[in-house]
Amino acid sequence: MARKTFARITELGLLAILIYTPLIRATKQIPTLTATYILILFLTCLWFLRMNWERGVKFIKTPLNLPLVLFLFLALLSTIFSVNKGASLSELYKVAAFILLYFLLVNNLRKKYHFPVAISAILGVGSIVAGYGVYQYFSHWPNLTEIASTFPPNPNSLAGYLLLIIPLAFALALWSSSKWLSRLAFITASLAFISLLATHSRGGYLAFVGSVVIFILLARKRILERKRRLFSLLGILLVITASLVTIQIILKPQPLKKTTQFLTELKPYSTAQVTVQEPSDVSLGEPISTRFFTPPLKEERGFTFQRTPANKFIIDRLQIWGRTLRIIRDYPFLGTGMGTYGIIFKGHKIPIPLTNETIARYGLSARFAHNEYLQIAAETGLPSLVIFLWIITLIFRTGLRTLTKVTQLPRYPVTQLKEPANTPTDVGTGQIDQPANRPTGQPANFQPYLTIGLLSGLSGLLLHSFVDFVLRPPATDILFIYFAALLILQAKTKDRPTGQRVNRLTGQRANGSTDLTHPTSHIPHPAASLFSHLYHSPLIRGSFIICLTLFLVAQATLPLIAHRHYKKGIDYQKKKTFDQAISSYLIAQKLEPTNDRYHKNLGDLYRHLALIAKEKREFWLEKATGEYEEMVLLNPENSHYRRDLGVIYWLASQGRNRLLMNKSITQFKESLRIDPTFPFSSCALGVIYAKMGWDDKAIEKFERAVYYEPNYVEPHYNLALLYSKKGLYNRALSEYEKIIEIEQRNLFPKISCGYEGALLKFDYTLAHFQLASLYERGGRIKEAKAEYKYLLKMRPNFLPAKEALTRMANP
């Protein structure tokens, strides 16, 4: 009784994973992903407990067992040598959980009712996801919104999920004899097709065409045997397409203006974090400012960027793929570590042509390669890519072999979901005697059409993976695993022998009888030792399984609890209750010590306290230094972390400690080694050189900063000061005029934060005052007066400007 209960709970749990994962924002949030891990571990525990009691049960041997284990092993090695072990460890949990899910599926979904229930669940949840996408698209008519449905961050992710659903639904709508299943498949196919069109995913469109071609090749001439259903379904899809094209071209509804990101995964160079803005530690008029050493924290919050034209779809991807190949060349065997592509890509950023509306050249960095195969090679190495392609090949070979075993597809609808009550079934193996198809007299076969739908869906997703990151949402990965498991199980069900399973060691059948023909049935066994007795004791093994499961569940829960404390720390920091914020960050660090973000935020808080503290400044700087050093140890290839560590070393040195000053210079150089285009490190290094009296080196660094980012205001200002110091007044004048030109474009109110905001953030009254002084010194009195008057409009109480105008009025 307990075994049947465990089996039924396992089945329901696997069905629940299939249903809820695409409905809760594709299971991308930490709470839902952790809940999925825990559920998989719980179901695995029940499965092992059932195997512990059924001593004759063993693992099902499938073609994917070996490559999956090898892939997991290489992922583990890649994590050990990762450039960011915290990020890779999180991805390793995901890979291990999903491989475990595959073994759960192939070893537990083996009875006659599992296939139709799983297929019905896939169609049902697919119709909900697609239906919500359609609703979201038309919810603000006549304005159309860009949909992501339950698959953030962008419509491409939703398109990848729909590409799995549509061919399967089409196959069942075309060939199913069950009326309710045919209708459900028909509704799902229609909604999913509308939702796919509404995503505007060009890669999704191309992959859909490819999946249709593969569907036709697999079905061959048999696709025309259901002409009535085929023409009805194609006619409705044609009407849907024509209607949407009419809406887009003739009516031309304008999309709603909302915050979207350019290709979404192309984002500002830093990971989005919520931090507290720090005050400046210098006076307003200081010429070369240590404000460079209070890095612009708002640059980490993201910014709005418009979509590119259609040709960018190809150009951007080709550039990203080229840089990904460079990463693969640098890390060919084990890659950079799972989840670290965005970190490494910061050293390979793509320049953007500057226009009147463009601010930054190197403000965008890709988190994904827009090609799953290249990303797998970049993050886990070329051997992992070979194994992944091996897995795909085995899945398709198994499915095609299943199709080739069917000599002729039935010409009439087959009985798929309804089996006669007296259908003979082998309890131990799940072998089913197929009912006959009455019109033809041939045995009804559910496998061919299901196989065609599954293979076509997988083909669409894998084709889409060439141009997008569609395997990133966990819900899509889970459905991919379900499709692979169903294909493998079809082949296993067809090849599975009848009869009771016999334990190879004891000769015992599953019903408790003994196979007298078994070679070991009459062999007396030697007396068992204590260790052997404990090992073979079901109670001991069951206790070990439960304890191990509880330990793994606790380990899977720790990141979630740590994330909760991290969020609390951010909230406390916003409320300026710094003691509670520090406590929350410290708890998060203890629970998840490999997460560099926790050290980053705590170091930022310590630095903030050092800047506002009248006392204990050195104490807080020392604390911040320790956190930043730990942060760099966990993520040494992050140029921004290196910059932050250089900043804190400089602040701690107070311009006197030579050792800390040299450490600061070293960190800024390391930051530029990792990301040569990073302008903030170049500018900060120039400030250090200027303070140390190395004006030529400072000018070189400032010129490098404005070379990569011509709209970066601070280095322009510092260059003008140094040029004036050297007597190069024309060059200084040119730099001031560039600052005024940037100001007159009036872009800062549009982009007040993010990477671009950090480039433009500056007190422009300083540039106007210095420019007016330079005009006055050069005898250009009229222009100097105009600048002083403009300066007074900006700041009426600016005393130096008033004094200058008075002096010029009374020479």
Side-chain angles (χ1 to χ4, degrees):
M1 184 64 182
R3 287 176 291 181
K4 291 184 179 180
T5 303
F6 284 179
R8 183 55 58 90
I9 293 174
T10 304
E11 296 164 5
L12 293 176
L14 293 173
L15 192 62
I17 292 174
L18 176 64
I19 293 173
Y20 81 82
T21 49
L23 300 179
I24 309 179
R25 296 181 65 80
T27 317
K28 295 192 71 173
Q29 285 78 14
I30 292 180
T32 51
L33 190 58
T34 303
T36 304
Y37 293 162
I38 294 174
L39 181 55
I40 291 175
L41 289 172
F42 174 71
L43 297 178
T44 306
C45 178
L46 295 181
W47 172 38
F48 274 79
L49 288 176
R50 188 156 53 91
M51 285 198 300
N52 181 44
W53 288 329
E54 298 175 358
R55 299 187 181 183
V57 178
K58 65 172 184 177
F59 289 98
I60 298 298
K61 184 179 180 180
T62 71
L64 303 186
N65 288 7
L66 177 60
L68 286 175
V69 172
L70 289 177
F71 188 85
L72 181 61
F73 175 71
L74 288 177
L76 177 61
L77 288 180
S78 177
T79 301
I80 293 174
F81 297 98
S82 171
V83 299
N84 186 347
K85 293 182 175 56
S88 297
L89 193 60
S90 299
E91 293 297 317
L92 181 64
Y93 289 156
K94 187 189 301 182
V95 171
F98 291 164
I99 291 177
L100 194 57
L101 176 63
Y102 167 80
F103 288 116
L104 277 170
L105 290 170
V106 297
N107 285 277
N108 290 276
L109 297 186
R110 302 170 58 199
K111 297 191 176 176
K112 60 182 180 180
Y113 60 85
H114 287 157
F115 271 48
V117 170
I119 295 300
S120 301
I122 291 172
L123 294 179
V125 73
S127 63
I128 294 173
V129 171
Y132 182 73
V134 174
Y135 164 76
Q136 188 179 12
Y137 188 66
F138 293 103
S139 59
H140 295 88
W141 180 263
N143 295 307
L144 303 181
T145 60
E146 182 184 77
I147 68 170
S149 190
T150 55
F151 280 75
N154 67 14
N156 295 328
S157 301
L158 175 61
Y161 185 84
L162 295 174
L163 286 170
L164 286 170
I165 297 292
I166 293 175
L168 178 62
F170 192 91
L172 294 175
L174 191 60
W175 286 301
S176 174
S177 65
S178 173
K179 291 184 178 180
W180 71 268
L181 180 63
S182 177
R183 291 169 182 170
L184 175 61
F186 190 85
I187 293 171
T188 303
S190 302
L191 289 175
F193 183 70
I194 298 173
S195 189
L196 177 64
L197 293 178
T199 60
H200 297 168
S201 172
R202 289 154 290 187
Y205 295 164
L206 294 174
F208 175 72
V209 173
S211 66
V212 170
V213 172
I214 293 174
F215 186 95
I216 295 173
L217 291 176
L218 293 176
R220 298 177 183 175
K221 297 180 180 180
R222 299 298 175 181
I223 195 172
L224 298 177
E225 294 173 356
R226 305 303 307 276
K227 293 182 180 179
R228 183 176 178 182
R229 287 192 184 184
L230 176 63
F231 292 145
S232 299
L233 189 56
L234 291 179
I236 290 179
L237 296 181
L238 183 61
V239 170
I240 291 171
T241 305
S243 301
L244 290 179
V245 170
T246 301
I247 291 172
Q248 290 291 334
I249 296 178
I250 299 178
L251 299 181
K252 295 182 180 179
Q254 296 298 322
L256 289 178
K257 293 182 180 180
K258 63 174 188 174
T259 301
T260 56
Q261 291 179 330
F262 164 63
L263 296 178
T264 299
E265 80 295 344
L266 286 178
K267 56 174 292 181
Y269 65 96
S270 292
T271 306
Q273 296 181 5
V274 179
T275 53
V276 176
Q277 181 64 31
E278 301 176 2
S280 175
D281 60 325
V282 296
S283 61
L284 180 64
E286 186 171 357
I288 298 182
S289 167
T290 55
R291 279 182 290 142
F292 291 108
F293 302 111
T294 304
L297 298 179
K298 286 185 178 179
E299 71 200 16
E300 314 225 357
R301 299 185 185 173
F303 67 94
T304 302
F305 206 86
Q306 299 296 325
R307 278 188 173 272
T308 53
N311 60 343
K312 291 284 186 178
F313 175 78
I314 299 175
I315 296 173
D316 292 336
R317 281 163 173 75
L318 290 177
Q319 291 178 330
I320 292 173
W321 297 342
R323 283 157 174 76
T324 305
L325 290 175
R326 296 180 193 174
I327 297 173
I328 296 172
R329 179 194 61 192
D330 295 337
Y331 301 87
F333 299 111
L334 294 177
T336 63
M338 292 184 295
T340 62
Y341 179 85
I343 297 171
I344 296 298
F345 195 87
K346 290 173 184 175
H348 302 271
K349 290 184 291 190
I350 301 173
I352 299 174
L354 290 178
T355 64
N356 290 332
E357 297 298 325
T358 306
I359 299 172
R361 289 183 62 197
Y362 290 92
L364 297 178
S365 178
R367 287 188 298 151
F368 306 109
H370 278 276
N371 185 308
E372 291 290 353
Y373 310 99
L374 290 180
Q375 181 144 354
I376 290 173
E379 291 188 340
T380 56
L382 290 173
S384 295
L385 176 61
V386 172
I387 293 177
F388 180 76
L389 296 177
W390 181 20
I391 292 171
I392 300 301
T393 303
L394 291 176
I395 292 173
F396 275 82
R397 188 182 70 173
T398 302
L400 292 175
R401 283 184 175 180
T402 303
L403 281 178
T404 55
K405 289 178 182 178
V406 181
T407 57
Q408 183 180 8
L409 298 180
R411 296 177 177 269
Y412 295 91
V414 296
T415 303
Q416 296 179 350
L417 296 181
K418 295 181 180 180
E419 300 289 350
N422 59 351
T423 301
T425 303
D426 188 284
V427 178
T429 64
Q431 182 73 14
I432 304 172
D433 292 339
Q434 298 286 350
N437 190 317
R438 294 180 181 178
T440 63
Q442 297 176 351
N445 198 337
F446 183 40
Q447 290 179 342
Y449 308 118
L450 180 60
T451 302
I452 291 172
L454 293 175
L455 287 177
S456 301
L458 289 175
S459 301
L461 181 67
L462 294 172
L463 289 173
H464 197 188
S465 298
F466 279 101
V467 294
D468 266 314
F469 49 98
V470 291
L471 293 180
R472 300 298 112 181
T476 305
D477 294 337
I478 288 172
L479 187 59
F480 178 90
I481 293 168
Y482 260 88
F483 274 42
L486 290 175
L487 284 170
I488 297 297
L489 283 172
Q490 283 189 97
K492 282 293 174 182
T493 300
K494 193 172 185 63
D495 298 335
R496 191 177 295 144
T498 60
Q500 296 287 339
R501 185 182 299 278
V502 179
N503 190 308
R504 291 180 295 178
L505 296 178
T506 64
Q508 294 290 326
R509 292 193 178 98
N511 61 3
S513 62
T514 303
D515 183 10
L516 298 179
T517 63
H518 195 274
T520 62
S521 59
H522 302 290
I523 299 176
H525 296 279
S529 63
L530 177 61
F531 176 78
S532 178
H533 176 73
L534 293 177
Y535 174 76
H536 291 287
S537 171
L539 181 61
I540 299 297
R541 290 189 299 186
S543 300
F544 174 76
I545 292 170
I546 293 174
C547 292
L548 180 61
T549 302
L550 291 176
F551 172 76
L552 293 176
V553 167
Q555 292 298 314
T557 309
L558 288 180
L560 174 61
I561 301 174
H563 185 72
R564 295 284 188 184
H565 284 283
Y566 170 67
K567 290 296 185 182
K568 286 182 180 179
I570 292 175
D571 293 336
Y572 288 138
Q573 192 172 350
K574 289 180 179 179
K575 297 175 183 177
K576 299 188 183 302
T577 54
F578 298 127
D579 291 338
Q580 291 176 307
I582 291 172
S583 299
S584 297
Y585 287 143
L586 288 174
I587 294 173
Q589 288 180 6
K590 289 180 181 178
L591 294 174
E592 193 178 2
T594 58
N595 196 317
D596 53 283
R597 289 182 303 165
Y598 303 157
H599 294 280
K600 159 70 175 169
N601 272 48
L602 185 56
D604 289 344
L605 178 54
Y606 286 149
R607 185 179 63 186
H608 174 73
L609 293 175
L611 293 175
I612 65 174
K614 297 180 181 178
E615 301 177 356
K616 295 185 177 180
R617 176 182 171 88
E618 294 182 359
F619 171 78
W620 293 119
L621 286 176
E622 183 180 354
K623 287 278 191 181
T625 301
E627 294 299 328
Y628 283 151
E629 287 175 342
E630 186 66 25
M631 172 186 73
V632 169
L633 285 176
L634 292 172
N635 193 353
E637 295 299 316
N638 192 312
S639 59
H640 315 83
Y641 287 178
R642 295 282 187 176
R643 174 206 61 185
D644 290 342
L645 184 57
V647 167
I648 207 66
Y649 279 147
W650 178 262
L651 292 176
S653 71
Q654 299 181 358
R656 296 189 298 268
N657 190 321
R658 202 73 180 180
L659 177 61
L660 291 178
M661 291 168 65
N662 290 334
K663 285 185 176 181
S664 177
I665 293 174
T666 300
Q667 293 303 319
F668 286 123
K669 287 182 178 179
E670 281 294 305
S671 176
L672 292 175
R673 177 191 62 81
I674 297 169
D675 183 3
T677 66
F678 192 39
F680 302 106
S681 291
S682 294
C683 195
L685 197 55
V687 170
I688 293 178
Y689 290 154
K691 283 186 171 291
M692 298 176 71
W694 302 341
D695 291 346
D696 292 337
K697 288 187 175 181
I699 289 174
E700 179 186 349
K701 294 302 176 185
F702 291 139
E703 288 177 343
R704 173 177 178 150
V706 297
Y707 171 78
Y708 286 113
E709 292 295 355
N711 292 319
Y712 189 11
V713 179
E714 293 265 14
H716 281 299
Y717 180 74
N718 288 332
L719 277 173
L721 293 175
L722 290 175
Y723 286 151
S724 298
K725 181 180 177 182
K726 285 180 167 290
L728 303 174
Y729 297 113
N730 289 332
R731 289 191 179 183
L733 182 63
S734 175
E735 296 298 329
Y736 287 130
E737 289 175 346
K738 289 177 183 178
I739 295 174
I740 303 305
E741 180 185 353
I742 294 171
E743 180 196 22
Q744 290 175 349
R745 290 165 62 188
N746 198 29
L747 295 173
F748 186 72
K750 302 176 184 178
I751 309 293
S752 59
C753 63
Y755 181 92
E756 295 184 332
L759 297 178
L760 300 178
K761 187 176 180 181
F762 186 73
D763 185 0
Y764 291 91
T765 58
L766 295 175
H768 283 285
F769 180 74
Q770 295 292 343
L771 180 60
S773 301
L774 198 59
Y775 282 152
E776 183 182 1
R777 185 182 306 175
R780 300 166 64 175
I781 304 301
K782 184 177 178 180
E783 293 169 315
K785 286 182 178 181
E787 285 296 329
Y788 283 132
K789 289 178 181 179
Y790 181 79
L791 183 56
L792 287 175
K793 288 182 181 179
M794 297 173 62
R795 294 182 59 180
N797 297 323
F798 193 70
L799 186 59
K802 291 182 179 180
E803 293 176 350
L805 284 175
T806 304
R807 183 177 63 252
M808 294 171 68
N810 302 298

